[in-house]
Amino acid sequence: MNWVEIITSVFSSAVAAGTCLLIASEGGILNENAGVLNLGFEGMMLMGAVTGFLAVQATGSLIAALAVAILVGGALAFIHAFLTVTLRVSQVVSGLSITILGTGLSAFLGTNHIGQIPRAYFDAVAIPGLSEIPIIGPSFFNQNVIVYFSYFLVPALWFFLTKTRWGMQVRAVGHNPAAADAAGINVHLIRYSCTIVSGMLIGIAGMYLSLAYNSSWLDNMAGGKGWIAVALVIFATWNPLKAPIGAYLFGAVAVLGLRLQAFGIDIPTTVFNMLPYVTTVVVLILTTGSFRKNVPLAPAALGVAYDREAR
């Protein structure tokens, strides 16, 4: 295997491994720009993974699996929105509760399907012309449709947040909900909408794990990816265009161990298993505290419940 093939293999694996992180983090960027903190990523991803898998086993349809994952992710996000926006429960407590719920319920639903191969899965589809570009082509343009969707999602979300009236309203709610309310913006509607759409994206990210990346259901198959996606939102400084850098970096770190072992480098697997989480800690250190002199601040109202009567 020459160096071009090695680089192509690493890049392709990094994109494939990072896609679930990218989609989930883009969802997190959306709801956090609206001022809603969601720590339920892990549970939502697991529920998207198991329900998408069960749907394709029952129907043989990838469209049905996608629809179910979207609905389940959106439903869990609706619960989070109801608890935090309407009832003004602690966003941290609500998110952690959803993670616990999703982890346990997904394990229960998938008990009899562990290790099964799905009746259908998202296979790679090469884009003519683009897939023939050396290194870049096979890495980025010989992937499945969920990966291609993530390419579209990044600029679309950036355009929405920065160039549209609705996006400006979302950011206004995230920074100063009282002022946004006084200007006639429906704060609760914005926060509900962003949280639910975010949950739908996280559901897709989970389904990607079981029907594209691994093509099987495994108990707790998210393996902490939901938490890494939460960290990626901070790494990206709430900017959709920066999220792919972190997602593919974490993807590369996650597959590094397998690639080095394939090349005959004998390093314990446990070392590489912990690398993504060590990297997460390093990222959080570099983007918080005294290190973040030139890093944009988080939305001012992030994690803070809005009470109109308290204005």
Side-chain angles (χ1 to χ4, degrees):
M1 181 178 287
N2 58 45
W3 68 270
V4 174
E5 292 175 330
I6 293 173
I7 294 174
T8 301
S9 175
V10 171
F11 279 12
S12 179
S13 298
V15 171
T19 294
C20 66
L21 298 175
L22 177 57
I23 295 174
S25 63
E26 292 290 339
I29 287 170
L30 175 61
N31 66 253
E32 290 198 14
N33 265 289
V36 179
L37 177 66
N38 184 2
L39 298 182
F41 281 33
E42 187 84 356
M44 290 180 175
M45 287 177 69
L46 286 169
M47 286 299 295
V50 72
T51 56
F53 185 87
L54 293 176
V56 85
Q57 293 297 73
T59 66
S61 169
L62 290 174
I63 294 177
L66 178 62
V68 169
I70 289 173
L71 288 173
V72 169
L76 289 173
F78 175 82
I79 295 172
H80 182 60
F82 177 73
L83 291 173
T84 60
V85 177
T86 301
L87 301 184
R88 296 193 292 278
V89 171
S90 167
Q91 295 179 11
V92 173
V93 173
S94 175
L96 291 176
S97 299
I98 288 175
T99 284
I100 295 170
L101 171 65
T103 302
L105 186 56
S106 65
F108 172 75
L109 293 174
T111 298
N112 297 324
H113 301 275
I114 295 175
Q116 288 184 4
I117 304 300
R119 291 176 59 188
Y121 56 88
F122 293 93
D123 205 356
V125 179
I127 298 180
L130 293 176
S131 62
E132 298 169 8
I133 301 172
I135 299 179
I136 299 298
S139 301
F140 291 91
F141 302 109
N142 188 24
Q143 301 282 356
N144 59 70
V145 294
I146 305 299
V147 176
Y148 298 144
F149 165 73
S150 72
Y151 298 163
F152 165 79
L153 176 63
V154 172
L157 183 57
W158 172 83
F159 184 85
F160 170 76
L161 287 174
T162 62
K163 303 298 182 181
T164 69
R165 181 168 176 245
W166 290 345
M168 299 295 184
Q169 291 179 350
V170 168
R171 292 163 61 200
V173 168
H175 282 280
N176 194 330
D181 191 10
I185 298 172
N186 190 326
V187 174
H188 285 190
L189 179 61
I190 291 289
R191 288 190 164 183
Y192 261 92
S193 301
C194 290
T195 303
I196 292 172
V197 172
S198 171
M200 291 177 176
L201 291 174
I202 297 168
I204 294 174
M207 182 210 62
Y208 172 83
L209 289 175
S210 61
L211 296 182
Y213 186 60
N214 289 313
S215 297
S216 66
W217 162 252
L218 300 172
D219 190 17
N220 198 28
M221 68 186 307
K225 291 182 176 64
W227 297 110
I228 294 177
V230 173
L232 277 178
V233 176
I234 303 172
F235 174 88
T237 62
W238 299 271
N239 183 341
L241 296 182
K242 295 180 181 179
I245 300 172
Y248 296 148
L249 171 64
F250 280 99
V253 170
V255 301
L256 183 61
L258 295 175
R259 289 288 172 256
L260 290 179
Q261 287 180 342
F263 299 144
I265 300 176
D266 187 18
I267 298 178
T269 304
T270 51
V271 173
F272 293 104
N273 288 341
M274 72 180 185
L275 277 181
Y277 308 103
V278 173
T279 307
T280 302
V281 173
V282 172
V283 165
L284 289 176
I285 292 173
L286 294 177
T287 53
T288 56
S290 59
F291 291 91
R292 56 177 305 170
K293 295 177 182 178
N294 299 315
V295 178
L297 295 176
L302 178 61
V304 180
Y306 175 62
D307 182 2
R308 190 175 194 182
E309 301 304 322
R311 282 196 299 160

